Amino acid sequence: MENTETYAIGIVGFGPKGFYGFERLIAYLREHNNDRSIQIHIFNNTSFLASGDVYRTDQPEYLIMNYANRNINGWILQEPYALATSTPDFVSWLTENRFANAAPNEYAPRAIVGKYLEDCYQLVLDQLPINVRVVPHIGTVSNVFKRGEEYQVKYTEAESGKENSIQCNSLLFTTGHHTFTSQKNTTSKENSVDFIYPVEEKLKPINKDSLVAIKGFGLTAIDAILALTEGRQGMFERKGNGEFKYELSGREPLKIYPFSRTGLPMVPRNGAPNSNAELHFFTDDLVRHLKKNKPVSFKCTILPLIKKEFYFAYYRVLFKNHGHQFYFDDDFTVIENQVQYFHEDFPECPVFNWEAIVDPFRDEPILSSIMLQYYLEFLIEEAKRGEDESPFMAAVSVWRKISPLFNELYSFGGLDAASQKEFDTYYFGLFNRLSYGPPVKNMEKMLALYKSGILDFSFVKSANISENTLNNNYTLQIKNARKTEINYYLNATISRAKEGEFKNELYQNLLKNGLVREFKNKLNTSYNPGCIEINKDGNAIDAKGRVDKNITFYGTPTEGITCDNDTLSRTKNNFASVWAKGVCTSILNKAGITEKYEREENVL
């Protein structure tokens, strides 16, 4: 007998991760091939479905990826295969659609990546089973209540402001609960911006010839700086020596002052693939051993291994550059002896120094502009050489290889509490700065803007900003040293989970309603990273410690209990597949079908 009762599924947050969950769900539903009526409710703050806020298609083309084209693929090679007529990776799609800069090592505009993701979404929509209906809701979800076996999803429509609610049997949350607390400026001051995106809208009020302070010197700060210069018709032109020169349009601020705790910019990249060099110390075997002996100390156990990998990568390239072979040995003193003999033969070569790599100006309380200029020039030159020629780049690229293995140790309380806190508050940012920086072209632009006089590094380190109540402006000052008045203040930092904090209204309400509980690492000491607790399938743990298989989290909401949820990755912390399979099992169970849905996933 045909079952006509509708099974409703909700996906809260529909950027790339929401789309990935949706794609897996449709693939599993097609494989199951039942005739149950199914509705998939998509909740998203904006109409940029699948691209989301980060890759929205209306942003300017000068906002580019820090992720080379060859690394982008909206599809996963996994059974059941995607229900789509074609599944092009990004490079193939760029080539087919005749986009410029389609080479694998190029960095595309984020808006183009968004267009690709939206096309991937449409390819799935075009092949929907006839019993599946997709219902988008453009608005903000603020609360979820459990009513019997169902969940009442409360949301506010973006266009009308009207409050509505939808009943769902199963929910997937991919929206960040601590990254973007709001898409609106949360401060009351007209001359400050807490969230710079979309840049053309948020930064439009900034007057030409004004003084602007930008908190942060990472990818978001670079976006803000480019929006206030190139985004105002300024032009970057290559000179005969290959350097950029910036031509003013007259619409730029007079000065832009970036400032951060370390004052250090991110290490740029040239787009070339990672070297094929293997890890020697941070290995699969080691990870398997450590996972059996939890908790793991970051400083005592993991950090020394990371330092050894940096050391080996550095000297592997340095030796090669001088026609020598660098040999691995299980006895690290044998490796150190090779290095000692090498430096005796080549005393002019720089010695590996961990501190100089992670923070060359640690002992400098204040950075001069000229010091930072020299450092930028050094980073640009090393990035152009790449990790096959630059010992420095070979070393800092190591973290990209270590990261997936480290995630296995970090996730679900694998580190002791003190170690997790130390990693979250210091080393996560450090390794991001070293290994996930912007394209070298963007750092060349920063140097050109500095030389033009617009970008000013006078307050880049050890500065604080405070409100000036007399004139509604701000004061940017280095402690017991120089200061300047500021007309506009931009916060260009992207916050992560913070100890004991749940800023987002939705996640506060999930806690209040008992649908989730806070994750606490109680190994040796205690640390609350400010994230929800989930099991290893991504399912929520409710206030009473019970697993709710009908609520799953994926992507940003799992930060703090997992690590490094790359926005575009289809494989890292992939809760989408297990969620989709679980939904199909729930549909079968609810329909009264007793056989279990047991198909194993085969990753090719």
Side-chain angles (χ1 to χ4, degrees):
M1 181 176 177
E2 183 178 341
N3 191 328
T4 58
E5 184 184 351
T6 297
Y7 191 92
I9 302 157
I11 302 177
V12 182
F14 206 75
K17 295 296 191 190
F19 163 66
Y20 297 164
F22 173 79
E23 183 277 315
R24 286 290 80 200
L25 177 62
I26 298 302
Y28 274 100
L29 288 172
R30 185 272 304 269
E31 184 185 56
H32 171 46
N33 197 31
N34 81 322
D35 56 6
R36 182 79 178 270
S37 174
I38 294 167
Q39 284 189 354
I40 302 174
H41 295 276
I42 290 172
F43 301 90
N44 201 56
N45 288 331
T46 69
S47 59
F48 298 98
L49 301 183
S51 54
D53 292 327
V54 175
Y55 306 103
R56 54 190 291 165
T57 56
D58 66 341
Q59 59 189 310
E61 286 203 356
Y62 57 78
L63 299 182
I64 63 176
M65 299 292 296
N66 71 322
Y67 207 46
N69 293 345
R70 69 174 181 280
N71 295 318
I72 301 171
N73 193 343
W75 309 97
I76 189 168
L77 289 176
Q78 183 184 78
E79 293 183 351
Y81 296 119
L83 185 57
T85 53
S86 64
T87 56
D89 62 32
F90 186 52
V91 172
S92 301
W93 179 87
L94 287 171
T95 304
E96 181 183 338
N97 289 278
R98 300 183 180 180
F99 282 99
N101 301 322
N105 293 351
E106 291 285 347
Y107 293 92
R110 290 206 295 270
I112 301 299
V113 176
K115 181 68 170 69
Y116 166 69
L117 291 167
E118 290 182 3
D119 275 10
C120 293
Y121 174 47
Q122 189 61 48
L123 284 167
V124 178
L125 287 179
D126 289 343
Q127 300 296 316
L128 280 184
I130 59 173
N131 60 313
V132 177
R133 181 180 170 222
V134 176
V135 187
H137 305 279
I138 308 306
T140 303
V141 175
S142 60
N143 209 342
V144 175
F145 305 92
K146 191 166 186 180
R147 294 286 183 263
E149 296 300 312
E150 296 182 332
Y151 304 89
Q152 198 83 12
V153 181
K154 179 182 175 184
Y155 70 100
T156 303
E157 294 180 359
E159 189 171 322
S160 67
K162 180 181 176 183
E163 288 192 352
N164 269 323
S165 63
I166 298 290
Q167 282 187 313
C168 294
N169 302 97
S170 176
L171 292 171
L172 176 68
F173 291 88
T174 72
T175 183
H177 66 285
H178 44 63
T179 304
F180 310 130
T181 58
S182 172
Q183 295 302 312
K184 299 178 180 178
N185 185 5
T186 56
T187 66
S188 57
K189 289 175 67 65
E190 294 180 356
N191 58 345
S192 66
V193 178
D194 282 345
F195 184 76
I196 71 164
Y197 301 105
V199 293
E200 291 180 318
E201 173 190 331
K202 292 296 187 69
L203 306 186
K204 185 177 180 180
I206 296 177
N207 299 323
K208 71 182 187 72
D209 300 327
S210 55
L211 301 175
V212 180
I214 299 181
K215 183 179 180 181
F217 202 4
L219 300 174
T220 304
I222 290 173
D223 283 354
I225 292 165
L226 291 177
L228 293 172
T229 52
E230 191 171 8
R232 296 192 170 190
Q233 285 72 57
M235 298 289 293
F236 290 98
E237 295 184 2
R238 290 281 186 188
K239 298 190 296 184
N241 62 0
E243 293 183 0
F244 273 128
K245 181 180 179 182
Y246 181 72
E247 299 290 342
L248 283 77
S249 68
R251 299 179 59 197
E252 303 91 346
L254 180 64
K255 294 282 185 184
I256 300 173
Y257 299 100
F259 68 99
S260 67
R261 181 181 57 81
T262 65
L264 296 175
M266 301 184 82
V267 176
R269 295 187 277 173
N270 69 6
N274 282 351
S275 74
N276 294 323
E278 296 180 356
L279 296 174
H280 293 284
F281 306 96
F282 211 102
T283 62
D284 288 312
D285 287 343
L286 173 102
V287 169
R288 281 192 290 270
H289 170 72
L290 292 178
K291 285 174 74 172
K292 294 176 182 176
N293 295 277
K294 291 184 178 183
V296 181
S297 167
F298 182 81
K299 184 166 282 187
C300 297
T301 303
I302 296 177
L303 186 58
L305 297 171
I306 294 173
K307 289 181 178 181
K308 286 180 178 180
E309 291 288 4
F310 273 53
Y311 182 95
F312 192 89
Y314 180 93
Y315 280 112
R316 178 184 58 80
V317 173
L318 188 59
F319 273 50
K320 177 184 71 69
N321 289 348
H322 288 79
H324 285 239
Q325 180 72 40
F326 191 42
Y327 295 100
F328 173 73
D329 196 283
D330 289 327
D331 184 349
F332 195 70
T333 58
V334 174
I335 294 174
E336 291 176 313
N337 287 338
Q338 291 181 74
V339 169
Q340 180 182 340
Y341 297 144
F342 174 85
H343 280 297
E344 289 174 0
D345 291 338
F346 300 96
E348 73 281 4
C349 288
V351 176
F352 174 85
N353 185 309
W354 169 263
E355 298 299 336
I357 287 177
V358 301
D359 191 349
F361 306 115
R362 181 189 299 273
D363 297 328
E364 301 286 344
I366 298 174
L367 280 182
S368 68
S369 293
I370 195 67
M371 290 169 68
L372 198 58
Q373 176 191 339
Y374 289 155
Y375 185 57
L376 279 177
E377 291 171 341
F378 164 78
L379 292 180
I380 289 167
E381 182 60 33
E382 296 303 299
K384 287 180 176 178
R385 293 174 67 194
E387 60 184 89
D388 287 329
E389 297 294 330
S390 163
F392 173 84
M393 293 303 294
V396 300
S397 70
V398 161
W399 177 253
R400 293 196 290 272
K401 298 176 184 178
I402 291 175
S403 178
L405 293 171
F406 173 76
N407 181 47
E408 292 186 38
L409 295 176
Y410 175 98
S411 296
F412 303 100
L415 303 182
D416 64 68
S419 289
Q420 183 179 353
K421 182 175 182 178
E422 184 176 30
F423 180 82
D424 288 352
T425 56
Y426 177 70
Y427 285 100
F428 179 86
L430 166 66
F431 291 130
N432 268 0
R433 176 169 58 79
L434 293 178
S435 298
Y436 299 114
V440 65
K441 178 172 71 173
N442 273 2
M443 202 56 76
E444 290 180 290
K445 289 181 177 181
M446 296 302 103
L447 184 60
L449 288 170
Y450 164 74
K451 291 182 176 180
S452 76
I454 292 179
L455 193 58
D456 194 310
F457 298 141
S458 301
F459 299 86
V460 74
K461 182 179 181 180
S462 304
N464 290 304
I465 195 163
S466 58
E467 291 189 37
N468 188 333
T469 55
L470 295 177
N471 58 11
N472 204 39
N473 283 341
Y474 295 87
T475 299
L476 185 65
Q477 181 172 17
I478 294 176
K479 187 176 181 180
N480 300 324
R482 57 182 174 270
K483 63 181 178 180
T484 187
E485 186 167 314
I486 294 296
N487 306 121
Y488 294 92
Y489 165 47
L490 313 182
N491 184 352
T493 62
I494 298 298
S495 63
R496 299 181 69 241
K498 292 186 178 179
E499 189 168 3
E501 288 190 12
F502 281 83
K503 295 180 179 180
N504 184 288
E505 179 186 6
L506 169 61
Y507 286 82
Q508 289 175 346
N509 285 331
L510 290 177
L511 278 170
K512 192 184 302 181
N513 298 338
L515 294 177
V516 299
R517 71 180 184 185
E518 187 175 4
F519 169 64
K520 299 180 181 180
N521 186 333
K522 298 180 179 179
L523 299 176
N524 296 341
T525 56
S526 181
Y527 170 57
N528 300 4
C531 66
I532 53 173
E533 185 174 359
I534 57 175
N535 70 1
K536 294 190 178 182
D537 289 336
N539 300 135
I541 308 296
D542 72 12
K544 296 182 179 179
R546 299 170 300 195
V547 175
D548 189 338
K549 291 188 176 182
N550 292 314
I551 296 182
T552 303
F553 296 89
Y554 175 39
T556 300
T558 70
E559 284 284 351
I561 198 167
T562 64
C563 182
D564 197 13
N565 285 278
D566 188 323
T567 310
L568 291 177
S569 174
R570 291 232 43 176
T571 56
K572 193 172 287 186
N573 300 318
N574 180 20
F575 298 121
S577 294
V578 70
W579 168 74
K581 185 176 179 180
V583 169
C584 288
T585 301
S586 295
I587 293 172
L588 287 170
N589 291 339
K590 195 170 179 64
I593 301 173
T594 56
E595 65 264 23
K596 290 192 176 181
Y597 190 64
E598 292 290 350
R599 180 178 182 88
E600 293 294 329
E601 294 175 295
N602 296 313
V603 180
L604 301 183

